[in-house]
Amino acid sequence: MEELKMSVATLGEDVFIRLSKMLDNSTCGWRQLAKATSEHPNFRCSEKELTSCSLQVLSAAGSPARTLLARLADRSCSLDFLLHCLRKIGHQEAVQFLTTMVSERIQIRMQPQSQQATLGSRVVLTCRASGPPGLTYQWFRGKEEILDEAGRSPELVLCPLGPAHQGHYICRINHGENCIFSQWANVRLIRSTGSSPGCSSTLFPGSVSGLQIICQPQSQAVSEGDTLVLKCTTEANPPAQYEWYHNSVPVPQHKTCLLKIPCVTTAHRGEYKCKVFNLYHEVWSDTATICIGPSSITEASWVEVDRGLDSQEVHRSTSGLGIYPLQQMACPPPSAKNFYATDKVALLIGNMNYLYHTQLSAPIADVHELANLLRQMDFKVVSLLDLNWQEMHSAVTEFLLLLDKGVYGLLYFAGHGYENYGNSFMVPIDAPYSYTSEHCLCVQNILTRMQEKETGLNVFLLDMCRKRNLNDDIIVQPGLLKVTANIVFGYATCADAEAYEVKREDVSNGIFINFLKRRVCVDEKVTVMLDKVAEDMGRCQITRGRQALELRSNLSERRSLTDRIQTADCSASYSARNLQWAVAHVLPVSHYLQFDCGVKVQLGFAAEFSNIMVIYSRILGKPKEIVSCSAQLTDFPMDVDIDLKKTNQETLLEAGSLLLIQDNLPSSEDPSLYTRIRSLQRLRSELTFTVCLHYTYSNMDDEIQERQAVTVGKPLVSKLNLHEPRPSRACSASSSLSVDSFNVLDCSSFAEGCTSVGSASNTWPYFAQTASASSTTDSPTSSRSANIPEENDTLEFFDTPQPLVASKSLPHSQVNDTRYKFSDMYNFNSY
């Protein structure tokens, strides 16, 4: 049976409890099972581990058998091997129970696939499952159940196809009280005379399409040494041929619908797609992103892996034993979750380039990593690097503007910090050498201001040191905290200890984010998720004794960062927050410059962070008599931070960007020059610069120059004027900067940008969705988009509900991909 090849970790909590009771005995129990499993070296328990299991009897609820089963689950023991060992020790009761439970598991064998078809045609969505007898099927379109007979069959037939059939479909398979959901399938209408991705126009009478992809390759994450399998199947007449591509490069040895690579390595990570063609048609499959990670997080050496959660990764239930597919948890039925957010917003600050203190390296990668993951969970994210005292204060004030009743608020800080008398302080980059609380921001003061907004969840993730500041004898008295039972503090290290980062040649990573990223998107109570992160850090020998996560919380409800957003009761304030947030994320539109010599130049813009932008210049056309030309940018204002040695570079890496991925920017046969602009929050007026065109004619040796001045307004966060002081106020006073005040444009920092927010939809697809969705009801899942830099004049709508998947992060094709280790303490740099 295929089910027996699955991991023990896929068993539910109730199964583990019953199995543990059967094995908690001395005659035919867990010790005999441990001896039987030791025939496989991966599952052999040391004397120390066996002692740890036996000590569980000292606890009232402790179970040695359960601890042993948890170890087997962590080591990916298969159900088949567990049954083999149970038979070996002669435990017939456990064998019969486990065999019965496996036979009653519901497994989806065929998932419904998204389809595109013409008006009046016939579309069939198929979902087939195996399991115990008596399985029943229920089909849903969005959150509405299809109540006729067609909605009770494994095959949902839509015929004749009409506009009312367009939308997202999902199937629920039931057996008694157990149920499982399929993946989402999108049905779309297309014009009969055109073509669209995955479906070509028809040349065959009576056929919807002469060539149609019916099974797309799926994104996934695998460990080094695993076998990678991608599948692309079609319906075609004449029969189709296949060509696979890896990162746009043909894979010549694979010419069938199945791409199978045994024993993958990090060289196989990247994007895969398949070109399908026959005599009359040619179509391309969807792109499948493949992440390659290490086989275990508990290895003694620290190994860099692709940052993010994989779409096929499994995660543990509250007990740490039951594991369920993440994709199914990401799209629960409407009744499966009791809690929701009216909105979700996050402020991420990373301080690196301190004026009077040790320079840090990890915050740039850590903020970028966490921003990607939070956006997948529908958070509105503002990510800022290197803020001084005034800018941090202003950024927090603007962050508070995004909060309202029921909103989930998350604040992440990476940089220098300290803790005095139970209060945590974030250190700005301009703090003097002997700084005190007067030069820093008190996190507890921010919490009191967040509580005034009646937020649904307050999460603080502090990736900084918590050592005592001997220069500061002031005892700060924050405002009185309310008993709201919705506060969570996740400290990267415990009290009076330091937080660390590991340095590499090009990039660095903080320890906290390296463990947090594996869990943050899991659909479970946020405190449970952070507990799992702490356990992961505790199992790593390198961090043991140096850094341990500390969790402080009074959260009384099962609230998760993945909770859905429900806006029906507050659509006005939700729309206002959309507008507020979008103001800080407006990129300039593409500029097209025509020079007197006949050369045409394009200027494009991409966001690396909310206060860091990359400008690229490209030659679109030139007269034949001009043999060489380039468009270089110069004369930038003094407000912004630009490394002149890295301007007008041919690659993003040379321009200083380790996070943007050049492949995701528009490609062209003509090369582009890249310039990276930092500290946009300090821009006091419109961004102006000069485009200097250098060109040479074929019959001349001398180079000629032409110059054009360009003004692009105030991009991204510069529109918020964070360099300006905000109105002072007591912690206990009512906030004068509320959503209501913004609705009447009473806030000058936002009013300035309201007229130009429309262009934000060209840059941030999320805003294009939420603005139109503010007055609609929720579907069982919400749209999610990854933080992939894109050209600002390309409008892209993500209209398909997406599972929580890893978003592309560090450009491994551009930085050294070798493994690195914490070889000794010199690799650590304290925050």
Side-chain angles (χ1 to χ4, degrees):
M1 295 175 63
E2 186 175 342
E3 292 88 345
L4 295 179
K5 298 179 181 179
M6 301 180 65
S7 171
V8 170
T10 60
L11 296 175
E13 168 63 8
D14 55 340
V15 177
F16 275 96
I17 292 176
R18 293 188 59 183
L19 202 55
S20 298
K21 290 180 179 179
M22 298 176 189
L23 292 170
D24 279 331
N25 63 80
S26 59
T27 57
C28 184
W30 67 272
R31 285 188 180 275
Q32 290 74 22
L33 178 62
K35 183 177 180 180
T37 58
S38 64
E39 70 179 54
H40 194 296
N42 287 353
F43 310 131
R44 186 175 297 128
C45 291
S46 64
E47 287 299 325
K48 183 178 179 181
E49 289 172 329
L50 291 175
T51 302
S52 176
C53 291
S54 63
L55 290 176
Q56 297 298 316
V57 299
L58 299 178
S59 173
S63 168
R66 182 172 174 180
T67 304
L68 175 63
L69 291 172
R71 295 186 185 279
L72 294 175
D74 287 340
R75 299 174 185 181
S76 301
C77 175
S78 67
L79 292 172
D80 192 17
F81 184 73
L82 178 60
L83 277 169
H84 163 73
C85 294
L86 289 172
R87 293 189 185 101
K88 186 175 181 179
I89 66 175
H91 204 308
Q92 297 303 322
E93 181 186 8
V95 169
Q96 183 177 358
F97 167 72
L98 192 58
T99 304
T100 303
M101 294 306 302
V102 170
S103 65
E104 292 181 354
R105 288 173 55 87
I106 304 174
Q107 296 288 322
I108 295 181
R109 301 303 183 188
M110 180 180 294
Q111 295 279 4
Q113 301 294 322
S114 296
Q115 298 188 39
Q116 303 171 103
T118 56
L119 186 67
S121 60
R122 184 175 184 266
V123 168
V124 179
L125 299 176
T126 303
C127 179
R128 297 192 182 277
S130 62
L135 295 181
T136 61
Y137 295 80
Q138 287 176 278
W139 286 91
F140 295 82
R141 180 178 174 271
K143 68 175 185 178
E144 297 180 358
E145 182 180 1
I146 300 174
L147 298 176
D148 57 22
E149 193 62 30
R152 299 289 183 268
S153 170
E155 293 185 346
L156 177 64
V157 180
L158 306 177
C159 183
L161 190 68
H165 292 127
Q166 288 196 109
H168 294 92
Y169 292 80
I170 194 170
C171 183
R172 183 167 68 186
I173 301 96
N174 309 282
H175 183 260
E177 296 181 355
N178 298 325
C179 69
I180 188 173
F181 280 82
S182 73
Q183 69 183 20
W184 288 93
N186 185 20
V187 175
R188 295 178 57 190
L189 281 174
I190 60 171
R191 293 176 296 180
S192 59
T193 57
S195 61
S196 60
C199 182
S200 64
S201 59
T202 179
L203 293 178
F204 308 97
S207 171
V208 174
S209 172
L211 178 59
Q212 183 177 7
I213 296 178
I214 60 174
C215 180
Q216 299 280 2
Q218 301 296 313
S219 298
Q220 54 188 282
V222 294
S223 299
E224 292 184 88
D226 289 351
T227 298
L228 172 64
V229 178
L230 295 173
K231 189 175 183 181
C232 178
T233 57
T234 61
E235 291 180 353
N237 184 15
Q241 300 181 56
Y242 301 86
E243 287 184 4
W244 287 90
Y245 288 78
H246 174 214
N247 293 333
S248 302
V249 177
V251 186
Q253 63 269 34
H254 296 278
K255 296 291 186 180
T256 65
C257 64
L258 196 67
L259 172 69
K260 186 174 182 180
I261 302 176
C263 196
V264 297
T265 67
T266 53
H268 295 110
R269 65 158 57 96
E271 295 182 343
Y272 290 80
K273 57 183 178 180
C274 184
K275 182 174 76 171
V276 186
F277 59 95
N278 59 18
L279 185 61
Y280 303 103
H281 307 282
E282 175 184 303
V283 294
W284 287 86
S285 73
D286 295 342
T287 299
T289 302
I290 305 302
C291 301
I292 310 295
S295 58
S296 174
I297 190 175
T298 60
E299 295 175 353
S301 62
W302 185 281
V303 182
E304 180 194 312
V305 299
D306 221 1
R307 296 171 146 254
L309 235 76
D310 19 306
S311 60
Q312 303 299 323
E313 182 177 338
V314 294
H315 71 280
R316 298 178 187 166
S317 67
T318 305
S319 67
L321 291 174
I323 298 184
Y324 305 91
L326 180 58
Q327 181 180 5
Q328 295 171 14
M329 297 300 291
C331 303
S335 60
K337 297 295 292 290
N338 296 324
F339 302 106
Y340 64 88
T342 56
D343 205 354
K344 297 193 285 190
V345 297
L347 173 63
L348 278 54
I349 300 175
N351 285 345
M352 304 167 50
N353 298 305
Y354 283 86
L355 301 180
Y356 309 107
H357 304 280
T358 306
Q359 304 287 295
L360 303 177
S361 302
I364 183 172
D366 292 344
V367 169
H368 184 266
E369 179 75 21
L370 185 57
N372 278 332
L373 296 171
L374 290 175
R375 288 193 181 103
Q376 293 181 40
M377 295 182 285
D378 291 340
F379 272 84
K380 295 179 175 68
V381 180
V382 177
S383 56
L384 302 167
L385 293 186
D386 289 333
L387 302 186
N388 60 33
W389 183 90
Q390 180 57 66
E391 293 160 356
M392 287 184 69
H393 271 269
S394 299
V396 167
T397 300
E398 299 295 341
F399 169 63
L400 294 171
L401 279 170
L402 296 174
L403 302 180
D404 199 8
K405 185 175 182 179
V407 174
Y408 287 10
L410 184 147
L411 174 65
Y412 170 78
F413 174 75
H416 286 301
Y418 70 96
E419 184 175 301
N420 275 13
Y421 307 106
N423 293 322
S424 302
F425 296 90
M426 303 181 293
V427 181
I429 63 169
D430 62 343
Y433 180 77
S434 299
Y435 55 76
T436 66
S437 59
E438 296 180 353
H439 308 106
C440 305
L441 271 73
C442 177
V443 176
Q444 282 70 23
N445 274 334
I446 299 174
L447 174 58
T448 60
R449 298 174 66 185
M450 292 175 67
Q451 286 191 326
E452 294 171 5
K453 302 289 186 157
E454 299 182 19
T455 45
L457 178 65
N458 302 307
V459 179
F460 296 86
L461 302 176
L462 302 179
D463 200 351
M464 64 185 195
C465 288
R466 298 175 66 194
K467 300 283 287 185
R468 174 88 166 84
N469 183 0
L470 300 179
N471 298 317
D472 188 4
D473 293 328
I474 302 173
I475 301 179
V476 176
Q477 298 290 345
L480 185 63
L481 289 177
K482 302 176 183 178
V483 181
T484 55
N486 64 357
I487 304 170
V488 178
F489 276 88
Y491 297 94
T493 190
C494 49
D496 202 31
E498 296 177 320
Y500 297 95
E501 63 182 26
V502 59
K503 299 184 77 68
R504 296 185 63 213
E505 180 180 354
D506 296 318
V507 295
S508 299
N509 303 104
I511 293 176
F512 179 45
I513 291 296
N514 266 286
F515 287 95
L516 178 68
K517 68 183 181 182
R518 306 168 187 267
R519 302 281 188 181
V520 70
C521 290
V522 174
D523 183 24
E524 59 189 1
K525 187 177 178 180
V526 61
T527 52
V528 174
M529 178 271 292
L530 289 173
D531 268 332
K532 301 288 181 60
V533 177
E535 292 172 6
D536 291 343
M537 291 178 66
R539 284 195 295 267
C540 182
Q541 295 181 4
I542 303 301
T543 58
R544 192 174 302 156
R546 296 189 180 102
Q547 182 174 340
L549 182 149
E550 182 175 328
L551 173 63
R552 294 183 181 178
S553 170
N554 63 10
L555 183 61
S556 62
E557 299 172 328
R558 189 196 177 281
R559 293 194 179 269
S560 167
L561 298 182
T562 60
D563 288 346
R564 295 181 298 115
I565 296 176
Q566 183 171 317
T567 63
D569 298 333
C570 53
S571 58
S573 59
Y574 181 75
S575 298
R577 281 192 300 276
N578 279 334
L579 185 59
Q580 289 172 254
W581 174 78
V583 164
H585 297 90
V586 178
L587 279 172
V589 298
S590 286
H591 281 57
Y592 297 89
L593 308 179
Q594 187 70 49
F595 286 84
D596 293 339
C597 62
V599 174
K600 187 176 182 180
V601 175
Q602 179 194 10
L603 299 178
F605 307 84
E608 186 175 306
F609 292 90
S610 299
N611 63 336
I612 299 181
M613 180 176 69
V614 172
I615 307 177
Y616 60 90
S617 60
R618 175 187 304 145
I619 306 298
L620 293 184
K622 60 183 180 66
K624 295 181 180 180
E625 57 270 20
I626 293 180
V627 293
S628 65
C629 64
S630 64
Q632 301 184 8
L633 312 185
T634 185
D635 300 335
F636 287 95
M638 297 295 293
D639 296 339
V640 296
D641 185 8
I642 295 180
D643 187 346
L644 296 180
K645 295 180 180 180
K646 295 184 178 181
T647 59
N648 303 301
Q649 298 297 314
E650 294 183 355
T651 67
L652 284 166
L653 186 61
E654 292 172 332
S657 175
L658 299 175
L659 303 176
L660 284 180
I661 302 169
Q662 191 159 342
D663 292 341
N664 288 325
L665 295 175
S667 59
S668 173
E669 295 180 358
D670 298 314
S672 300
L673 298 181
Y674 299 91
T675 299
R676 186 169 177 259
I677 305 177
R678 303 171 302 213
S679 302
L680 286 173
Q681 74 276 7
R682 295 171 195 158
L683 187 64
R684 296 178 178 270
S685 58
E686 292 187 333
L687 178 61
T688 60
F689 55 89
T690 301
V691 179
C692 186
L693 182 69
H694 301 259
Y695 61 94
T696 305
Y697 284 103
S698 57
N699 57 351
M700 297 176 59
D701 294 331
D702 296 336
E703 184 179 79
I704 305 175
Q705 295 185 14
E706 284 189 42
R707 302 167 68 90
Q708 283 196 36
V710 176
T711 300
V712 297
K714 301 189 72 174
L716 300 178
V717 78
S718 65
K719 200 176 291 292
L720 301 186
N721 298 319
L722 297 184
H723 55 84
E724 296 179 351
R726 276 10 183 205
S728 60
R729 55 184 296 281
C731 292
S732 59
S734 299
S735 175
S736 60
L737 297 174
S738 64
V739 171
D740 295 334
S741 66
F742 179 76
N743 287 337
V744 294
L745 298 181
D746 193 31
C747 179
S748 60
S749 64
F750 285 119
E752 173 186 353
C754 292
T755 57
S756 60
V757 169
S759 61
S761 61
N762 292 342
T763 309
W764 299 87
Y766 179 92
F767 175 65
Q769 289 178 294
T770 53
S772 62
S774 60
S775 60
T776 60
T777 57
D778 290 336
S779 63
T781 188
S782 55
S783 299
R784 312 181 190 276
S785 59
N787 178 32
I788 297 178
E790 47 188 327
E791 188 178 11
N792 55 294
D793 61 349
T794 302
L795 183 62
E796 183 174 357
F797 293 97
F798 293 85
D799 58 351
T800 303
Q802 300 290 326
L804 295 180
V805 297
S807 57
K808 192 171 294 184
S809 176
L810 298 180
H812 291 277
S813 60
Q814 298 174 1
V815 299
N816 184 14
D817 193 45
T818 58
R819 297 186 176 190
Y820 63 93
K821 302 179 179 180
F822 289 162
S823 58
D824 51 49
M825 281 297 292
Y826 293 104
N827 282 340
F828 288 85
N829 282 295
S830 169
Y831 283 172

